[in-house]
Amino acid sequence: MPMLEVICSLIGWLCLYFLFVCTFTQRGPEWNCRLVTLSHGVLIVLLTAYVVFVDGPWPFTHAGTENTELQSFALAVCLGYFFFDMGWCVCYHTEGPVMLAHHAASIAGILLALLMGVSGCETCGVIFGSEITNPLLQTRWFLRQVGLYDSLLGDAVDLLFILLFATVRVGVGTVMFYCELTSPRTSLIMKLGGVVMYGLAWVFMVDIARFGYKKSKAKYKRWIENHKLKDVDRQKVGGHSDKSE
């Protein structure tokens, strides 16, 4: 039954992609794929948020327990998307080895949780933490495409993305990782999968920290240059006033 849901999910994401292709005929394939990614990010964050915070059980205390129907449904929806996106990335060669490794690890982890019928609650928790920053990442890309990235809105998106990634995916993710490793119910293979995903999160965190540092440094230099230009303009204005007197 879960595999049928995965197939239906894959077909659904493919249909959505081709719908975007037919709608945005002037845009390239990546535009349409990122629209699918944005749609998945919003949907899966809302779905896993309900699974984790409302339906339960709590992943920090019930890691390794049997999957509920809603957990299995959420995992199937997400797995279908990852199959779609992995295939698209391989076909169009748009992603590097780190992102492909992340997709492969995500597919393996979700597939194991579905096949074994356990660890659904912490897997949904990991999906929620991983995907909560995804809509911001896609928004950043779309802002670049329409020429609005170099603005206050672009800065706000970048800042919120960095803060969410650091606090949720790395901060809360560290707690989740510890709970999974120490849980007697979690199988060894799921713990190993947790090690891989946690390691990849830190690889991304290092890259994001470098990006944040470079952008902050560039912004500061630009501010200093603008400040100097304003001082020069003021001095020129003052000089002209003295001459006129």
Side-chain angles (χ1 to χ4, degrees):
M1 189 64 178
M3 291 303 103
L4 179 61
E5 292 177 346
V6 173
I7 293 171
C8 291
S9 171
L10 175 58
I11 293 173
W13 295 118
L14 281 169
C15 289
L16 183 61
Y17 174 73
F18 288 117
L19 176 63
F20 288 142
V21 169
C22 294
T23 304
F24 301 101
T25 54
Q26 303 300 319
R27 300 291 183 175
E30 188 171 3
W31 177 280
N32 301 311
C33 182
R34 285 186 180 269
L35 280 177
V36 175
T37 301
L38 177 62
S39 303
H40 167 264
V42 173
L43 175 64
I44 206 66
V45 165
L46 293 174
L47 184 56
T48 52
Y50 182 83
V51 169
V52 172
F53 298 108
V54 180
D55 192 63
W58 192 235
F60 295 104
T61 56
H62 290 74
T65 55
E66 291 186 7
N67 301 347
T68 65
E69 289 186 8
L70 191 55
Q71 287 170 0
S72 296
F73 175 74
L75 294 177
V77 170
C78 192
L79 184 57
Y81 162 76
F82 273 117
F83 277 135
F84 158 78
D85 199 48
M86 185 71 163
W88 192 94
C89 291
V90 170
C91 287
Y92 286 92
H93 308 286
T94 57
E95 300 294 345
V98 176
M99 184 58 71
L100 291 177
H102 171 267
H103 275 38
S106 299
I107 289 171
I110 297 171
L111 194 59
L112 283 171
L114 284 173
L115 292 176
M116 294 191 301
V118 294
S119 294
C121 64
E122 69 263 33
T123 305
C124 284
V126 170
I127 291 172
F128 172 79
S130 299
E131 293 297 318
I132 195 171
T133 55
N134 193 281
L136 291 170
L137 191 63
Q138 306 314 315
T139 301
R140 180 176 179 268
W141 187 88
F142 284 117
L143 287 175
R144 280 185 178 277
Q145 299 305 304
V146 298
L148 296 175
Y149 178 67
D150 294 320
S151 64
L152 184 61
L153 179 59
D155 293 340
V157 169
D158 279 343
L159 180 61
L160 186 56
F161 173 78
I162 294 170
L163 289 175
L164 270 178
F165 196 100
T167 55
V168 177
R169 193 159 180 177
V170 174
V172 180
T174 299
V175 180
M176 183 73 255
F177 179 57
Y178 173 79
C179 292
E180 185 178 35
L181 286 182
T182 56
S183 173
R185 293 182 296 265
T186 306
S187 63
L188 178 60
I189 191 168
M190 292 303 291
K191 290 181 179 180
L192 290 174
V195 172
V196 173
M197 293 300 292
Y198 186 68
L200 286 171
W202 271 106
V203 172
F204 289 134
M205 186 69 251
V206 170
D207 287 340
I208 291 169
R210 287 174 179 170
F211 161 76
Y213 172 75
K214 288 179 180 178
K215 182 166 184 176
S216 300
K217 190 176 180 180
K219 287 280 184 183
Y220 179 72
K221 284 184 177 179
R222 195 177 305 166
W223 180 82
I224 291 294
E225 290 173 358
N226 291 335
H227 189 68
K228 288 181 178 178
L229 287 174
K230 288 180 180 179
D231 288 342
V232 171
D233 291 339
R234 287 173 185 171
Q235 289 174 1
K236 287 181 178 178
V237 172
H240 287 306
S241 299
D242 294 339
K243 288 179 181 180
S244 61
E245 290 176 359

Coordinates of all heavy atoms in Angstrom, one line a residue, residues 52-87:
V52 N 3.9 16.0 13.3 CA 4.8 16.1 14.4 C 4.2 16.8 15.6 O 4.2 16.3 16.7 CB 6.1 16.8 14.0 CG1 7.0 17.1 15.2 CG2 6.9 16.0 13.0
F53 N 3.5 17.9 15.4 CA 3.1 18.8 16.5 C 1.6 18.5 16.9 O 1.2 18.9 18.0 CB 3.2 20.2 16.1 CG 4.6 20.7 15.9 CD1 5.1 21.0 14.6 CD2 5.5 20.8 16.9 CE1 6.4 21.3 14.4 CE2 6.9 21.1 16.7 CZ 7.3 21.4 15.4
V54 N 0.8 17.9 16.0 CA -0.6 17.7 16.3 C -0.9 16.2 16.5 O -1.4 15.7 17.5 CB -1.5 18.4 15.3 CG1 -3.0 18.1 15.6 CG2 -1.2 19.9 15.2
D55 N -0.7 15.5 15.4 CA -1.1 14.1 15.4 C -0.2 13.2 16.3 O -0.7 12.3 16.9 CB -1.1 13.5 13.9 CG -1.8 12.2 13.8 OD1 -3.0 12.1 14.1 OD2 -1.1 11.2 13.4
G56 N 1.1 13.5 16.3 CA 2.0 12.7 17.1 C 2.4 11.3 16.6 O 1.9 11.0 15.5
P57 N 3.2 10.6 17.3 CA 3.8 10.9 18.6 C 5.0 11.8 18.5 O 5.5 12.1 17.4 CB 4.2 9.6 19.2 CG 4.4 8.7 18.0 CD 3.5 9.2 16.9
W58 N 5.5 12.3 19.6 CA 6.6 13.3 19.7 C 7.9 12.5 19.3 O 8.3 11.6 19.9 CB 6.7 13.8 21.1 CG 7.6 15.0 21.2 CD1 8.6 15.1 22.1 CD2 7.6 16.2 20.6 NE1 9.2 16.3 22.0 CE2 8.6 17.1 21.1 CE3 6.8 16.8 19.5 CZ2 8.8 18.3 20.6 CZ3 7.0 18.1 19.1 CH2 8.0 18.8 19.6
P59 N 8.6 13.0 18.2 CA 9.8 12.3 17.7 C 10.9 12.2 18.7 O 11.8 11.3 18.7 CB 10.1 13.0 16.5 CG 9.5 14.4 16.6 CD 8.3 14.2 17.4
F60 N 11.0 13.2 19.6 CA 12.1 13.2 20.6 C 12.0 12.2 21.6 O 13.0 11.8 22.3 CB 12.2 14.6 21.2 CG 12.6 15.7 20.3 CD1 11.6 16.6 19.9 CD2 13.8 15.9 19.8 CE1 11.9 17.6 19.0 CE2 14.2 16.9 18.9 CZ 13.2 17.8 18.5
T61 N 10.8 11.7 21.9 CA 10.6 10.6 22.9 C 10.1 9.3 22.3 O 10.2 8.3 23.1 CB 9.6 11.1 23.9 OG1 8.4 11.5 23.3 CG2 10.1 12.4 24.7
H62 N 9.7 9.3 21.1 CA 9.1 8.0 20.5 C 9.9 7.6 19.2 O 9.3 7.0 18.3 CB 7.6 8.2 20.2 CG 6.8 8.3 21.5 ND1 6.8 9.4 22.3 CD2 6.0 7.4 22.1 CE1 5.9 9.2 23.3 NE2 5.4 8.0 23.2
A63 N 11.1 7.9 19.1 CA 11.9 7.5 18.0 C 11.9 6.0 17.9 O 12.1 5.3 18.9 CB 13.3 8.0 18.1
G64 N 11.7 5.4 16.7 CA 11.8 4.0 16.5 C 10.4 3.3 16.6 O 10.4 2.1 16.5
T65 N 9.4 4.0 16.9 CA 8.0 3.4 17.1 C 7.4 3.1 15.7 O 7.9 3.6 14.7 CB 7.1 4.3 17.9 OG1 7.1 5.6 17.3 CG2 7.6 4.5 19.3
E66 N 6.3 2.4 15.7 CA 5.6 2.0 14.5 C 5.0 3.2 13.8 O 4.5 4.2 14.5 CB 4.5 1.0 14.8 CG 5.1 -0.4 15.2 CD 4.0 -1.4 15.3 OE1 2.8 -1.1 15.0 OE2 4.2 -2.5 15.8
N67 N 5.0 3.2 12.5 CA 4.4 4.3 11.7 C 2.9 4.4 11.8 O 2.2 3.3 11.9 CB 4.8 4.2 10.2 CG 6.3 4.1 10.0 OD1 7.1 4.4 10.9 ND2 6.7 3.8 8.8
T68 N 2.4 5.6 11.9 CA 1.0 5.8 11.8 C 0.6 5.9 10.3 O 1.5 6.1 9.5 CB 0.5 7.0 12.6 OG1 1.1 8.2 12.0 CG2 1.0 7.0 14.1
E69 N -0.7 5.9 10.0 CA -1.1 6.0 8.7 C -0.8 7.4 8.1 O -0.4 7.5 6.9 CB -2.7 5.8 8.6 CG -3.1 4.3 8.8 CD -4.6 4.2 8.5 OE1 -5.2 5.1 8.1 OE2 -5.1 3.1 8.8
L70 N -0.9 8.4 8.9 CA -0.6 9.7 8.4 C 0.9 9.9 8.2 O 1.3 10.6 7.3 CB -1.1 10.8 9.4 CG -1.1 12.2 9.0 CD1 -1.9 12.4 7.6 CD2 -1.7 13.2 10.0
Q71 N 1.7 9.3 9.1 CA 3.2 9.4 8.9 C 3.5 8.7 7.6 O 4.3 9.2 6.8 CB 3.9 8.7 10.0 CG 3.8 9.5 11.3 CD 4.3 8.7 12.5 OE1 4.7 7.5 12.4 NE2 4.3 9.3 13.7
S72 N 3.0 7.5 7.3 CA 3.3 6.8 6.1 C 2.8 7.6 4.8 O 3.5 7.6 3.8 CB 2.6 5.4 6.1 OG 3.1 4.6 7.1
F73 N 1.7 8.2 5.0 CA 1.2 9.1 3.8 C 2.2 10.2 3.6 O 2.5 10.5 2.4 CB -0.2 9.6 4.2 CG -0.7 10.5 3.1 CD1 -1.2 10.1 1.9 CD2 -0.8 11.9 3.4 CE1 -1.6 11.0 0.9 CE2 -1.3 12.8 2.4 CZ -1.7 12.3 1.2
A74 N 2.6 10.9 4.6 CA 3.5 12.0 4.5 C 4.8 11.5 3.8 O 5.4 12.2 3.0 CB 3.8 12.7 5.8
L75 N 5.3 10.4 4.3 CA 6.6 9.9 3.8 C 6.4 9.5 2.3 O 7.3 9.7 1.5 CB 7.0 8.6 4.6 CG 7.4 8.9 6.0 CD1 7.7 7.6 6.7 CD2 8.6 9.8 6.1
A76 N 5.3 8.9 1.9 CA 5.0 8.6 0.5 C 5.0 9.8 -0.4 O 5.6 9.8 -1.5 CB 3.7 7.8 0.4
V77 N 4.3 10.8 0.1 CA 4.3 12.1 -0.7 C 5.7 12.6 -0.9 O 6.0 13.1 -2.0 CB 3.4 13.1 0.0 CG1 3.5 14.5 -0.7 CG2 1.9 12.7 0.0
C78 N 6.5 12.6 0.1 CA 7.8 13.2 0.1 C 8.7 12.3 -0.8 O 9.5 12.8 -1.6 CB 8.4 13.3 1.5 SG 9.9 14.3 1.5
L79 N 8.6 11.0 -0.7 CA 9.4 10.1 -1.4 C 9.2 10.2 -2.9 O 10.1 10.2 -3.8 CB 9.2 8.6 -1.0 CG 10.1 7.6 -1.6 CD1 11.6 7.9 -1.4 CD2 9.8 6.2 -1.1
G80 N 7.9 10.3 -3.3 CA 7.5 10.5 -4.7 C 8.2 11.8 -5.3 O 8.7 11.7 -6.4
Y81 N 8.2 12.8 -4.5 CA 8.9 14.1 -4.9 C 10.3 13.8 -5.1 O 10.9 14.3 -6.1 CB 8.6 15.2 -4.0 CG 9.6 16.3 -4.2 CD1 9.4 17.2 -5.3 CD2 10.7 16.5 -3.4 CE1 10.4 18.2 -5.5 CE2 11.7 17.5 -3.6 CZ 11.5 18.3 -4.7 OH 12.4 19.3 -4.9
F82 N 11.0 13.2 -4.2 CA 12.5 13.0 -4.3 C 12.8 12.1 -5.5 O 13.9 12.4 -6.1 CB 13.0 12.4 -3.0 CG 13.4 13.4 -1.9 CD1 12.7 13.5 -0.7 CD2 14.3 14.4 -2.2 CE1 13.0 14.5 0.2 CE2 14.7 15.4 -1.2 CZ 14.0 15.4 0.0
F83 N 12.0 11.2 -5.8 CA 12.2 10.4 -7.0 C 12.2 11.3 -8.2 O 13.0 11.2 -9.1 CB 11.2 9.2 -7.1 CG 11.6 8.0 -6.4 CD1 10.6 7.4 -5.6 CD2 12.8 7.5 -6.4 CE1 10.9 6.2 -4.9 CE2 13.2 6.4 -5.7 CZ 12.2 5.7 -4.9
F84 N 11.1 12.1 -8.3 CA 11.0 13.1 -9.4 C 12.2 14.0 -9.5 O 12.8 14.2 -10.6 CB 9.7 13.9 -9.2 CG 9.7 15.2 -10.0 CD1 9.5 15.2 -11.3 CD2 10.0 16.4 -9.3 CE1 9.6 16.4 -12.1 CE2 10.0 17.6 -10.0 CZ 9.8 17.6 -11.4
D85 N 12.6 14.6 -8.4 CA 13.6 15.6 -8.4 C 15.0 15.0 -8.7 O 15.8 15.6 -9.4 CB 13.7 16.4 -7.1 CG 14.4 17.7 -7.2 OD1 14.1 18.5 -8.1 OD2 15.3 18.0 -6.3
M86 N 15.2 13.8 -8.1 CA 16.5 13.1 -8.4 C 16.6 12.8 -9.9 O 17.7 13.1 -10.5 CB 16.5 11.8 -7.6 CG 17.9 11.1 -7.7 SD 19.2 11.9 -6.8 CE 20.4 10.7 -6.7
G87 N 15.5 12.3 -10.5 CA 15.6 12.1 -11.9 C 15.8 13.3 -12.7 O 16.6 13.3 -13.7

